[in-house]
Amino acid sequence: MAFADLADGQMRRVEGLGEHGVVVCRVGGQLFAVDDNCTHRDARLSEGRLRHHTLTCPLHGAQFDVRTGEAKGPPAPCPVTTWTITES
Ligand code: FES
């Protein structure tokens, strides 16, 4: 799967990976990927907002660091799973 057309600051949902799909984000020229499911409730993070390395859930505003999956504040109770992406 190629992401060469994914511009900086953009993200894309990828179906068929993991239980909920994955959202791939390009930030600072690098690709990051996390589960496309908020750890608070069932919401697609790919429908949220990406600002720098912070992905904000569209439902209640939980924020995650796409580099580490770290939940940066409530209401997310735990980190989101990260995936390793390689560009060929
Ligand atoms: S579902 Fe994401 S913050 Fe509630």
Side-chain angles (χ1 to χ4, degrees):
M1 191 168 298
F3 297 100
D5 62 329
L6 193 62
D8 210 58
Q10 290 188 333
M11 56 183 163
R12 179 180 304 153
R13 174 176 168 77
V14 178
E15 305 274 354
L17 293 175
E19 188 177 344
H20 303 282
V22 167
V23 56
V24 177
C25 309
R26 186 182 295 280
V27 183
Q30 290 185 280
L31 291 175
F32 303 93
V34 299
D35 271 358
D36 193 12
N37 193 56
C38 184
T39 59
H40 179 227
R41 303 245 177 95
D42 282 330
R44 286 186 178 182
L45 294 174
S46 59
E47 296 175 2
R49 187 181 68 236
L50 180 65
R51 291 287 183 273
H52 304 290
H53 291 98
T54 300
L55 182 52
T56 301
C57 177
L59 223 52
H60 309 109
Q63 295 187 319
F64 300 92
D65 188 318
V66 296
R67 296 169 290 191
T68 61
E70 174 192 4
K72 298 176 77 174
C78 58
V80 68
T81 299
T82 58
W83 292 67
T84 300
I85 294 277
T86 55
E87 259 186 304
S88 55

